[in-house]
Amino acid sequence: MAPVNTGILFLQFNPLWTSHGLSKIVLSALQKVDKLLYIKVKGLPLSETKVSTYNRIVNQIYNISSRNAVDRFDTRVVLTDFRDSLISPSVCVINKLHTSHTIETILMTSQEHSYAEFLEDKRDGITSEVLHIDTNFKDHDQHSGIKHQEKTENHLPSSTDEDNIYDHVVIGGTFDNLHSGHKMLISAAILRCKKSLTIGVTDGIMIKTKKLWELIEPCQTRIKKLNEFLMDVEPRLQYKVVPITDLYGPTADDPALQLLVVSEETQKGGMKINQLRQEKGLSKLDIYSISVIDDNHAGAGEENKISSSSFRKRLLGSHIKPPKFKSKPYVIGLTGGIASGKTTISKRLKDLGAHIISCDHLGHLAYKSGTECYRQMIEYFGAGILNEENEIDRKKLGPLVFSNKDHLESLNKMAWPEIRRLYNKEINELKKQNFQGVIVLDAAVLLEAGWQEDCAEVWVATIPKEEAVKRIVERDHITVEQATRRVESQLSNSDRVASANVVICSIWEPEVTAAQVLKAWQYVQEFLAK
């Protein structure tokens, strides 16, 4: 059976599950689905259950998925039955599953039940398949299941019993590119929560300390995706998902909160939260810590643990937005701030076979005598900007426009239409020559001038502000203050990235930048070949 986009695996609970046996089942299911796999564990015991036992099962599943699935694969472990077993162990409830994505196939390890009845959102003609997996292992494996893991798994120090359940729980995070680490944090909180879960989603100044923060999705987008995940895994809790712009968020004032779930890297933040609550006369929160998990997909220069920053780095050179249209020749707009590495990227694209149109060069041509732009500039600025050959002297023009915003805007209104006329003329000449390849419109002011409208896609070269300032100081031998003013006078990285189909960052070694360019170039070639 060919893989489908979305499927569900029904796992029949087995107290003697081994890590290896569970891994074989989940891995087999992952191979049947391309994008999203729901996992629902059935047949949970109705007595003698512990939060920690179930939490470890959930963590194991996310670990297995993280290790074996492709980078952007989405796994969601449904928690409704786990919570029923913990909170109402004497009541047997059949939970129907509402999913945000339509289920296309049902996967199971035995044909004992017909599970379609549990699904509210399934495709007409939904398929089902029994996974034939040998889960019989040697004696020393058969009895080393969940109970053994309870004794050997290494837990971080917490201020609470790991099996306690609370009415009101709180967590916080960026939740960008929702990954297995996030899902383990959320699941740990949901399993320990009886009534309400408050989630603070970082926004504003807080995200600007993150690596490649310009690639972080808008806060409302992250909240929307988070709410979808929550409704999929346990829709019956009360959720309060709110943006936060400082460490504390709702924990600073909400007296009802009882438990804070954190990861090992945010434990110190939990201590600061309790210190503030104590100062305000509020009860301290119990704190439960979870471990971070290793990232088997980590590349050079990436963190060994699963992190959103590593996911963002992998977006570099990828098409984060599809091209607007397909045409031959195919025009890519390349832009970026000062010292962003745009020129080097342009040279690499030329080496790969692109025809480069330099708008900086066209800007010089636009100022030449005889053009409409030249006439307008003399009329506006006067003959004082001319040299001995009656051509525009940029050294005379510069102080007039860069010290006066109105003068600069007026100059742009004169020069930009002429530059656009010149690059369209060059593109049309290439068309007459039957050029069918890629044209790169290399323009620092591509977005400001609105020239992206003439491009099938936009590539943005970016560099952190601090690195840009450092490069300008070293290259131009000016002060840090002067370099900072130059950087701050232009369009921000985040504004450019908002219009980008592809983002390339040159902060690392040249070969890393080259790999990003090649990755984006190969996508374009494949897109044009379709």
Side-chain angles (χ1 to χ4, degrees), residues 362-521:
L362 295 183
H364 287 275
L365 297 180
Y367 290 178
K368 289 287 185 181
S369 58
T371 65
E372 177 62 19
C373 177
Y374 177 93
R375 186 194 65 76
Q376 291 176 350
M377 289 171 68
I378 301 304
E379 183 178 316
Y380 184 87
F381 293 106
I385 62 171
L386 298 176
N387 60 20
E388 294 176 356
E389 288 78 31
N390 282 329
E391 295 289 354
I392 304 293
D393 188 332
R394 288 192 168 215
K395 290 184 178 178
K396 293 179 179 179
L397 178 64
L400 294 177
V401 296
F402 292 115
S403 61
N404 187 306
K405 187 177 179 181
D406 291 337
H407 286 348
L408 180 59
E409 288 180 358
S410 296
L411 174 63
N412 289 338
K413 288 177 181 178
M414 301 171 203
W416 288 351
E418 179 64 14
I419 294 171
R420 189 174 198 174
R421 184 189 71 80
L422 289 170
Y423 74 63
N424 276 321
K425 179 183 176 183
E426 186 169 344
I427 290 171
N428 288 328
E429 288 173 353
L430 287 166
K431 287 180 180 178
K432 290 177 183 177
Q433 298 167 21
N434 200 32
F435 180 78
Q436 298 285 299
V438 174
I439 298 171
V440 173
L441 192 63
D442 181 347
V445 294
L446 182 88
L447 301 175
E448 295 92 324
W451 298 335
Q452 75 272 20
E453 299 302 322
D454 299 322
C455 304
E457 56 184 87
V458 173
W459 292 16
V460 170
T462 184
I463 197 80
K465 176 182 173 183
E466 297 74 18
E467 179 66 18
V469 169
K470 179 184 174 185
R471 290 182 181 184
I472 297 166
V473 168
E474 292 175 354
R475 184 190 68 188
D476 299 343
H477 307 291
I478 60 176
T479 66
V480 170
E481 291 74 18
Q482 289 172 316
T484 301
R485 282 198 295 272
R486 286 192 187 181
V487 172
E488 291 179 346
S489 68
Q490 56 185 5
L491 205 63
S492 70
N493 282 338
S494 56
D495 286 337
R496 285 195 178 93
V497 168
S499 298
N501 297 84
V502 174
V503 178
I504 296 169
C505 182
S506 64
I507 193 172
W508 298 282
E509 296 79 5
E511 55 268 26
V512 177
T513 306
Q516 295 171 34
V517 174
L518 182 60
K519 181 180 180 181
W521 175 262

Side-chain angles (χ1 to χ4, degrees), residues 24-25 52 55 62 66 138 143 153 174 235 251 275 279 299 313 365 408-409 440 443 506:
K24 288 185 73 173
I25 297 169
S52 53
N55 204 160
Y62 281 127
S66 175
K138 296 178 182 178
H143 302 292
E153 187 168 307
T174 306
T251 63
Q275 184 178 347
E279 291 171 0
K313 186 175 180 183
L365 297 180
L408 180 59
E409 288 180 358
V440 173
S506 64

Side-chain angles (χ1 to χ4, degrees), residues 1 4 6-10 38 97 99 101-108 114-129:
M1 184 178 70
V4 298
T6 305
I8 184 167
L9 169 63
F10 283 95
Y38 292 96
L97 181 61
T99 54
H101 298 260
T102 302
I103 304 293
E104 299 170 70
T105 190
I106 298 171
L107 305 170
M108 56 198 119
S114 172
Y115 291 111
E117 64 188 278
F118 293 112
L119 304 177
E120 294 287 350
D121 307 282
K122 54 183 180 285
R123 186 182 68 180
D124 290 340
I126 187 171
T127 61
S128 62
E129 182 177 352

Side-chain angles (χ1 to χ4, degrees), residues 275-286:
Q275 184 178 347
L276 178 65
R277 286 178 68 89
Q278 205 166 16
E279 291 171 0
K280 290 188 168 189
L282 299 172
S283 59
K284 291 172 66 175
L285 301 175
D286 284 349

Side-chain angles (χ1 to χ4, degrees), residues 5 7 9 11 19-39 56-78 178-184 187 229 293-298 306 311 314:
N5 285 329
L9 169 63
L11 268 173
S19 177
H20 185 52
L22 186 59
S23 180
K24 288 185 73 173
I25 297 169
V26 174
L27 183 55
S28 177
L30 291 172
Q31 294 170 345
K32 306 289 183 180
V33 180
D34 276 339
K35 294 183 179 179
L36 169 60
L37 177 66
Y38 292 96
I39 298 179
R56 288 188 189 93
I57 295 172
V58 173
N59 287 352
Q60 278 190 336
I61 292 171
Y62 281 127
N63 265 299
I64 293 163
S65 175
S66 175
R67 288 198 308 269
N68 296 289
V70 294
D71 203 14
R72 305 289 290 175
F73 192 86
D74 189 354
T75 303
R76 303 184 183 185
V77 181
V78 179
L178 202 63
H179 55 65
S180 291
H182 294 139
K183 294 171 184 177
M184 288 167 63
S187 298
F229 176 79
I293 57 176
D294 294 337
D295 187 351
N296 283 36
H297 302 282
I306 285 189
F311 280 85
R314 290 169 208 163

